[in-house]
Amino acid sequence: MAGLPPRIPQITPEEWTDKVREVFGVMEGPQASIDGSKSHVVKTFAHHPATVLPFLHFNKHLLWQTTLPHRIRQITILRTGWNRRARYVWPAHLKVSLGIGMSRPDFEAVKAGASSSHWSE
């Protein structure tokens, strides 16, 4: 899935408005509002601030403020990414999942779904 060109180009500095700068700042802090985002995804999302701002605030909560255990969060993200064949989500979150101790058997079970014998009650 990796290595394919993006379907939607990233926003360019010439296109930055105050709302676009707000998008950059939500996930990366005030300096990103000045310098721009370091995230390819955020620079793509920034094409439509009215839609993405509520999503980013929700996403920020899920990533950094939730009480949901990291493993459960990553399993959910990976399963959704796998089901939707999300060519960015799957590889990006494999990397994140490895960082929290998930393994190849976990990833194969995510692909298989709830019927996998890998999962416990």
Side-chain angles (χ1 to χ4, degrees):
M1 284 195 252
L4 299 172
R7 291 181 288 173
I8 301 169
Q10 297 172 20
I11 199 162
T12 64
E14 297 77 35
E15 299 172 287
W16 294 0
T17 63
D18 288 344
K19 280 293 184 190
V20 168
R21 290 178 183 280
E22 185 179 346
V23 168
F24 296 159
V26 168
M27 297 299 281
E28 298 173 63
Q31 194 61 42
S33 296
I34 298 165
D35 298 338
S37 177
K38 291 181 171 86
S39 167
H40 298 294
V41 173
V42 172
K43 286 188 277 189
T44 301
F45 283 168
H47 282 288
H48 204 284
T51 301
V52 80
L53 279 168
F55 168 76
L56 288 178
H57 284 289
F58 175 69
N59 197 39
K60 183 177 177 179
H61 173 79
L62 287 178
L63 290 174
W64 298 315
Q65 298 163 338
T66 185
T67 57
L68 190 65
H70 295 307
R71 180 179 169 82
I72 300 299
R73 182 193 69 210
Q74 285 307 119
I75 289 169
T76 304
I77 293 168
L78 286 169
R79 183 66 182 157
T80 302
W82 182 257
N83 284 341
R84 301 301 307 151
R85 301 297 187 255
R87 67 184 194 193
Y88 170 79
V89 171
W90 181 259
H93 283 274
L94 280 179
K95 189 184 297 185
V96 172
S97 299
L98 286 168
I100 64 163
M102 291 181 69
S103 64
R104 185 182 252 328
D106 294 322
F107 304 142
E108 294 305 316
V110 166
K111 291 177 186 177
S115 64
S116 172
S117 61
H118 181 77
W119 305 122
S120 67
E121 286 300 317

